[in-house]
């Protein structure tokens, strides 16, 4: 099963290498990992999507918590949360077929962010389902390039992933 | 070396000294020495080089710190490890950048696997050159990331005291382990205003020492219900100093106690409840007790593969209570019925008042039956047996010595046949099984516990890995009694080939082996060679009694195997013996 982890880390050089190294060394599979500064510049937040059964996930979270620079690890898969990913897709777009593409883009509430002589770049933000559907719809035109940020996620409502401390086992 | 070293600037700076009580302006190298003094460090093992010059220059004036110049950096970290294990204090190491740092790696991994507190300082090329493949540059923080508890590459000179404070705190608290600080040369020669922080701030590090009260109460209930309890004691018992509590628990609930290799000494070897070592080369009775237990209490253990055999067949009838300070160990290899995260000593202190006295009854009789029917034994009739050597050493020293080992068959014979009565009296590389550990570790042990008799039991293969440290041993005037169980081969590997490779012995026999006794002579150490049990008996008392180091080269029966042995994939109760 796929799990989404929200991980707060100290914003130090090398911390990404520690986290990535841990996954590699212990044979955990990262599907995506995003990282960026939070409201507190001393703290970065990672959203890690990882594949594994409960036992693997227990090890992943415990091993992550063991890293000195990791402040908090929370598996938010089963909690109410919002997740988003931003994807840029460069599609073939001969002038004759552009209208069709623009229509699809509108339906998905995506954006066209670049127009070339023979190409368009489409920007879409959304959850996995939406991104997949749009990519499928654009496929017939010929996708030249695709780049995605990886997932970011946040709990809904007043539940926060706060920086106070690592929760005790 | 390419970059000009700013000697002059740095020399001048070190003369600045006092500008009043609160603002001592000194180089980082000097600050580092003061930090070590504040941490109570008296001994450093190391090897100098260009990138760490400023630190060694500061050491020149240090009055409270003794530096032991080893012969190889791996020797330094093993010595620091031995010192830490024998004394319970933090071992400290210095090495230069590049090759100095990479020579530490096996030693760091050794300390990491056995959770030994060591703080290592490495020199690094100047920050301006980091990342340029400069002369003697290696990314030692990158290399050691998976084998340190934590490491630091310091770029900001002013942060050094705080980093050192953190390093010592991390190394010795929670689950101990090695911590490395990499110091670029411009950082260690920079001038800072020195003050040593009182407190450490590590937001992401809060080890749990006290077990959860509900879980502890539940443990007491499980114990009350159990009919066939067994305790498995690991290195955590030794490092937390939980021996008195463990003895009390065992006696109160009448539970026999098996130890892991790291746990030996954590429970007195002469106690009637002692089962010896469990695991692949464990006693049959320890393994049978675990297999037939209905409650297994794992204290400060990680249920390593050497202990469990096939995990699916491990303690099949038991509810497992697992106490460990590292939450990540719980459920990693073996799924416990009841997990308790905490320091073994503190957990036992909380548990003891809640446990009700149990009578041993039938279970202790069953155990006595295992001991009677499946004793630990060897062929005493023929040949000069390694087990005999260890038995003799055990009885002659009465378990009062500290025994250091290398890695291989001889290590297992020590674990099986030496009666360890006290914690911190067995010093051995458990998790990594790092050949070459013994001699430098023995140096660290003797320097840390000069009042104790220190024995090193090594193998002909292992000894040759770190043999140059004989120089350090002699230079330091250390009275270590060295016994080499010399089978003229890599016995343990040969044994594996006998069982797993159809006796196709590949690269396990040395075509040449030095005469170790003569070699000892070159170093001014008294050397003996013995080929028979009678010869051994003739010299051993003299060897143990005389002043100063000795080396006894024991040409033991080379065909001897370590038995019992649980073959790969088998359960603990299926040992070959
Ligand atoms: C550094 C290192 N290299 C290789 C090994 C693999 N190994 C384990 S035991 C052993 C043989 C050790 O030989 P010796 O020291 O003579 O001990 P013996 O088994 O003969 O008692 C070897 C090669 C190891 N443990 N450590
Ligand atoms: Mg040998």
């Amino acid at each position: 099963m796929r799990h989404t982890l929200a991980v707060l880390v100290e914003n130090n050089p090398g911390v990404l290498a520690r986290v990535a190294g841990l996954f590699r060394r212990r044979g955990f599979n990262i599907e995506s990992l995003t990282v960026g500064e939070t409201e507190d510049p001393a703290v970065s937040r990672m959203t890690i999507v990882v594949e594994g059964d409960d036992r693997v996930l227990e090890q992943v979270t415990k091993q992550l918590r063991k890293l000195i620079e990791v402040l908090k690890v929370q598996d938010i898969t089963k909690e109410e949360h919002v997740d988003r990913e931003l994807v840029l897709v460069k599609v073939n777009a001969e002038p004759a077929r552009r209208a069709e593409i623009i229509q699809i883009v509108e339906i998905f509430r995506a954006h066209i962010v670049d127009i070339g002589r023979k190409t368009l770049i489409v920007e879409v933000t959304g959850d996995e389902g939406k991104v997949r559907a749009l990519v499928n719809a654009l496929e017939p035109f010929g996708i030249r390039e695709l780049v995605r940020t990886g997932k970011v996620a946040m709990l809904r409502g007043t539940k926060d992933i706060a920086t106070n401390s690592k929760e005790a086992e | 070396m390419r970059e000009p070293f700013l000697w002059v600037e740095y020399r001048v700076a070190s003369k600045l000294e006092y500008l009043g009580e609160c603002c001592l302006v000194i180089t980082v190298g000097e600050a580092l020495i003061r930090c070590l003094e504040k941490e109570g460090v008296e001994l450093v093992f190391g090897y100098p080089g260009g990138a760490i010059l400023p630190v060694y220059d500061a050491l020149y004036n240090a009055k409270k710190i003794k530096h032991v110049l080893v012969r190889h950096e791996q020797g330094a970290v093993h010595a620091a490890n031995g010192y830490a294990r024998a004394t319970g204090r933090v071992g400290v190491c210095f090495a230069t950048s590049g090759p100095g740092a990479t020579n530490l790696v096996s030693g760091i991994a050794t300390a990491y696997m056995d959770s030994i507190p060591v703080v290592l300082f490495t020199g690094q090329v100047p920050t301006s050159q980091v990342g340029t493949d400069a002369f003697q540059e290696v990314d030692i923080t990158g290399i050691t990331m998976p084998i340190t508890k934590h490491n630091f590459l310091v770029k900001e000179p002013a942060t050094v005291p705080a980093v050192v404070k953190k390093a010592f705190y991390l190394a010795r608290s929670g689950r101990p382990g090695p911590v490395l600080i990499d110091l670029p040369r411009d950082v260690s020669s920079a001038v800072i205003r020195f003050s040593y922080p009182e407190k450490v701030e590590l937001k992401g590090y809060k080890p749990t020492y006290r077990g959860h009260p509900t879980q502890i109460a539940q443990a007491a209930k499980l114990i009350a219900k159990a009919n066939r309890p067994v305790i498995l004691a690991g290195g955590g018992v030794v490092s937390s100093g939980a021996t008195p509590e463990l003895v009390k628990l065992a006696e109160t609930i009448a539970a026999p106690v098996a130890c892991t290799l790291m746990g030996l000494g954590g429970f007195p070897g002469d106690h009637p409840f002692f089962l010896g070592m469990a695991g692949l080369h464990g006693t049959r009775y320890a393994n049978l007790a675990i297999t037939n237990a209905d409650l297994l209490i794992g204290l400060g253990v990680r249920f390593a593969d050497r202990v469990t055999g096939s995990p699916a067949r491990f303690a099949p009838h038991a509810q497992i209570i697992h106490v460990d300070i590292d939450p990540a160990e719980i459920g990693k290899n073996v799924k416990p019925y009841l997990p308790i995260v905490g320091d073994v000593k503190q957990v036992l202190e909380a548990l003891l008042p809640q446990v009700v006295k149990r009578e041993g009854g039938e279970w202790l009789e069953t155990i006595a039956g295992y001991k009677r029917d499946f004793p630990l034994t060897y062929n005493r009739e023929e040949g000069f047996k390694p087990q005999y050597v260890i038995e003799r050493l055990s009885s002659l020293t009465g378990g009062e010595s500290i025994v250091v080992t290398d890695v291989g068959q001889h290590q297992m014979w020590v674990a099986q046949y030496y009666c360890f009565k006290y914690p911190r009296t067995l010093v051995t590389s458990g998790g990594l099984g790092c050949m070459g550990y013994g001699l430098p570790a023995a140096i660290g042990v003797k320097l840390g516990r000069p009042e104790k008799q220190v024995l090193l039991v090594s193998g002909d293969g292992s000894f040759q890995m770190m043999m140059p440290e004989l120089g350090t041993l002699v230079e330091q005037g250390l009275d270590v009694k060295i016994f080499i169980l010399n089978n003229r081969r890599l016995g343990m590997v040969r044994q594996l080939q006998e069982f797993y490779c159809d006796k196709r012995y590949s690269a396990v026999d040395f075509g040449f082996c030095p005469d170790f006794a003569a070699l000892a002579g070159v170093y001014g150490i008294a050397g003996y060679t013995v080929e028979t049990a009678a010869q051994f008996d003739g010299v051993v008392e003299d060897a143990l009694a005389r002043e100063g180091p000795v080396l006894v080269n024991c040409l033991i029966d080379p065909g001897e195997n370590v038995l019992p042995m649980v073959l790969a994939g088998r359960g603990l109760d299926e040992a070959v013996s």
Side-chain angles (χ1 to χ4, degrees):
Chain A
M1 186 185 157
R2 287 163 87 208
H3 291 254
T4 305
L5 305 182
V7 181
L8 296 179
V9 299
E10 284 186 51
N11 188 4
N12 295 344
V15 64
L16 178 60
R18 277 181 216 282
V19 170
L22 172 74
F23 277 77
R24 178 191 54 78
R25 169 165 108 82
R26 302 238 175 224
F28 305 140
N29 272 324
I30 304 186
E31 253 179 50
S32 80
L33 186 158
T34 62
V35 57
E37 229 173 77
T38 61
E39 70 284 359
D40 175 355
V43 176
S44 294
R45 175 154 166 170
M46 298 181 174
T47 305
I48 306 177
V49 181
V50 54
E51 172 74 44
D53 57 24
D54 287 351
R55 205 175 161 142
V56 169
L57 253 290
E58 185 185 326
Q59 266 297 300
V60 169
T61 47
K62 284 177 167 178
Q63 294 293 348
L64 277 171
R65 283 189 188 124
K66 212 167 135 173
L67 296 178
I68 309 298
E69 289 161 320
V70 168
L71 304 172
K72 177 134 190 156
V73 182
Q74 195 168 331
D75 185 347
I76 61 170
T77 318
K78 293 194 179 119
E79 302 195 46
E80 284 282 315
H81 70 271
V82 183
D83 64 70
R84 290 290 180 272
E85 185 173 24
L86 187 146
V87 181
L88 297 176
V89 191
K90 192 190 280 179
V91 283
N92 286 326
E94 294 295 338
R97 305 200 68 182
R98 284 200 178 168
E100 222 179 314
I101 296 176
I102 291 168
Q103 213 177 2
I104 293 172
V105 167
E106 274 170 10
I107 292 170
F108 281 95
R109 277 180 282 137
H111 304 280
I112 289 172
V113 292
D114 179 67
I115 302 183
R117 270 197 301 129
K118 294 181 179 168
T119 60
L120 289 176
I121 297 180
V122 178
E123 175 204 303
V124 60
T125 305
D127 61 15
E128 254 184 274
K130 175 175 167 181
V131 169
R132 200 184 313 117
L134 176 68
V135 170
N136 285 343
L138 293 176
E139 203 106 70
F141 301 92
I143 293 175
R144 299 171 66 99
E145 264 186 79
L146 185 149
V147 57
R148 50 205 316 164
T149 56
K151 194 195 266 187
V152 291
M154 190 175 267
L155 293 178
R156 288 181 185 275
T158 50
K159 283 200 216 158
D160 303 326
I161 310 256
T163 54
N164 44 18
S165 75
K166 272 185 227 192
E167 58 270 55
E169 274 302 304
Chain B
M1 248 166 267
R2 271 195 268 141
E3 84 290 351
F5 179 42
L6 302 176
W7 256 138
V8 184
E9 216 178 276
Y10 150 58
R11 278 268 160 219
V12 171
S14 69
K15 294 285 174 292
L16 287 175
E17 284 295 315
Y18 265 105
L19 303 175
E21 268 296 285
C22 61
C23 49
L24 181 59
V25 178
I26 50 178
T27 69
V28 166
E30 289 164 329
L32 176 63
I33 301 298
R34 284 176 195 256
C35 294
L36 296 184
E37 287 169 356
K38 297 257 185 203
E39 289 294 334
V41 174
E42 291 164 356
L43 199 57
V44 173
F45 300 91
Y47 212 92
I52 198 165
L53 277 180
V55 174
Y56 272 89
D57 192 58
L59 191 66
Y60 189 81
N61 289 327
K63 285 175 199 76
K64 293 186 209 138
I65 296 177
K66 169 176 167 151
H67 178 272
V68 175
L69 177 63
V70 293
R71 300 301 186 264
H72 185 295
E73 288 85 351
Q74 189 183 143
V77 47
H78 285 330
N81 177 321
Y83 172 85
R85 288 182 66 161
T87 62
R89 307 178 64 187
V90 179
V92 181
C93 261
F94 290 170
T96 194
S97 67
T102 50
N103 272 353
L104 293 174
V105 170
S106 296
I108 298 173
T110 304
Y112 183 72
M113 292 292 272
D114 291 342
S115 309
I116 307 303
V118 178
V119 173
L120 308 107
F121 296 88
T122 46
Q124 182 54 278
V125 301
T127 40
S128 59
Q129 291 185 10
V130 167
T132 65
D133 300 318
F135 178 63
Q136 298 196 326
E137 179 188 2
V138 296
D139 173 15
I140 196 64
T141 43
I143 290 171
T144 59
M145 231 172 235
I147 52 167
T148 49
K149 183 167 174 183
H150 194 57
N151 61 23
F152 301 87
L153 168 59
V154 186
K155 293 200 170 148
E156 204 40 68
T159 63
V160 167
V163 167
V164 175
K165 179 93 187 173
K166 284 180 190 171
F168 275 85
Y169 175 64
L170 285 170
R172 69 172 144 238
S173 62
R175 178 179 185 174
V179 178
L180 181 141
I181 301 177
D182 201 21
L183 292 167
R185 205 169 74 181
D186 55 329
V187 171
S188 49
S189 57
V191 174
I192 59 167
R193 192 168 283 209
F194 177 71
S195 75
Y196 200 56
E198 298 272 294
K199 280 202 205 129
V200 251
E201 229 210 292
L202 287 159
K203 273 194 267 165
Y205 178 72
K206 305 232 159 32
T208 308
Y209 290 97
R210 276 162 201 264
H212 198 287
T214 347
Q215 289 167 332
I216 290 175
Q218 208 189 335
K221 281 196 200 119
L222 290 178
I223 290 168
K225 278 197 318 208
N227 291 314
R228 301 187 306 278
V230 172
I231 297 171
L232 178 63
V237 168
V238 175
S239 62
S240 74
T243 298
E245 291 76 16
L246 169 57
V247 172
K248 185 125 189 272
L249 177 70
E251 288 174 352
T252 311
I253 68 171
V257 179
C259 287
T260 66
L261 178 62
M262 291 295 295
L264 287 171
F267 187 78
D270 53 354
H271 195 286
F273 287 176
F274 185 55
L275 292 171
M277 181 173 70
L280 296 205
H281 291 301
T283 61
R284 293 276 281 142
Y285 39 92
N287 289 342
L288 286 169
I290 289 172
T291 306
N292 294 309
D294 67 352
L295 179 70
L296 180 65
I297 308 171
L299 301 176
V301 289
R302 59 190 178 95
F303 292 112
D305 54 277
R306 301 290 99 169
V307 170
T308 59
S310 163
R313 299 184 211 184
F314 179 71
H317 312 296
Q319 290 181 325
I320 297 177
I321 301 174
H322 189 180
V323 182
D324 200 87
I325 197 157
D326 181 358
E329 286 305 343
I330 286 173
K332 188 180 78 179
N333 297 337
V334 163
K335 192 99 199 132
Y337 182 81
L338 175 67
I340 303 178
V341 175
D343 174 78
V344 177
K345 189 182 180 75
Q346 296 196 21
V347 169
L348 291 186
E349 278 170 354
L351 174 65
L352 279 169
Q354 301 181 40
V355 292
V356 270
K357 194 158 171 56
R358 267 178 34 95
E359 294 307 322
E362 229 176 284
W363 179 228
L364 286 186
E365 277 164 36
T366 311
I367 299 281
Y370 295 154
K371 285 190 176 177
R372 187 181 58 237
D373 298 340
F374 306 100
L376 183 67
T377 186
Y378 63 94
N379 180 353
R380 288 163 207 268
E381 310 302 310
E382 302 156 39
F384 180 27
K385 299 294 184 185
Q387 299 93 329
Y388 177 75
V389 172
I390 307 302
E391 265 181 354
R392 287 292 290 148
L393 290 176
S394 185
S395 68
L396 285 170
T397 59
E400 297 295 326
S401 303
I402 300 182
V403 184
V404 186
T405 82
D406 255 300
V407 172
Q409 292 181 313
H410 62 277
Q411 176 187 33
M412 291 298 108
W413 287 317
V414 169
Q416 293 176 331
Y417 289 92
Y418 194 93
C419 176
F420 292 98
K421 289 199 202 155
Y422 314 102
R424 301 191 182 282
T425 53
L426 169 61
V427 175
T428 192
S429 168
L432 195 70
C434 188
M435 287 172 70
Y437 174 78
L439 180 56
I443 290 171
V445 168
K446 188 67 191 178
L447 282 164
R449 300 292 305 275
E451 76 290 359
K452 287 288 247 181
Q453 182 171 55
V454 177
L455 310 185
L456 165 63
V457 178
S458 188
D460 47 313
S462 298
F463 191 72
Q464 291 187 72
M465 279 209 175
M466 281 274 121
M467 207 158 59
E469 295 302 338
L470 278 176
T472 315
L473 182 89
V474 173
E475 187 178 292
Q476 296 297 324
L478 300 177
D479 182 355
V480 173
K481 313 298 187 198
I482 303 170
F483 294 84
I484 298 181
L485 297 189
N486 185 350
N487 47 15
R488 285 76 79 198
R489 53 177 47 137
L490 303 174
M492 186 56 101
V493 181
R494 191 193 119 106
Q495 177 169 346
L496 296 179
Q497 290 173 350
E498 179 176 333
F499 283 92
Y500 297 122
C501 307
D502 210 12
K503 303 194 179 177
R504 287 148 53 85
Y505 298 123
S506 179
V508 289
D509 287 296
F510 287 116
F512 169 80
C513 191
D515 173 345
F516 291 113
L519 181 92
V522 171
Y523 281 91
I525 297 173
Y528 304 83
T529 301
V530 292
E531 278 181 273
T532 63
Q535 283 177 0
F536 177 76
D537 286 336
V539 308
V540 64
E541 279 168 73
D542 177 45
L544 288 174
R546 70 183 290 157
E547 281 267 320
V550 301
L551 187 153
V552 184
N553 180 23
C554 306
L555 299 173
I556 53 154
D557 179 349
E560 195 62 20
N561 277 334
V562 181
L563 295 172
M565 175 181 187
V566 177
L567 296 175
R570 295 305 174 91
L572 286 186
D573 56 331
E574 302 173 284
V576 181
S577 55

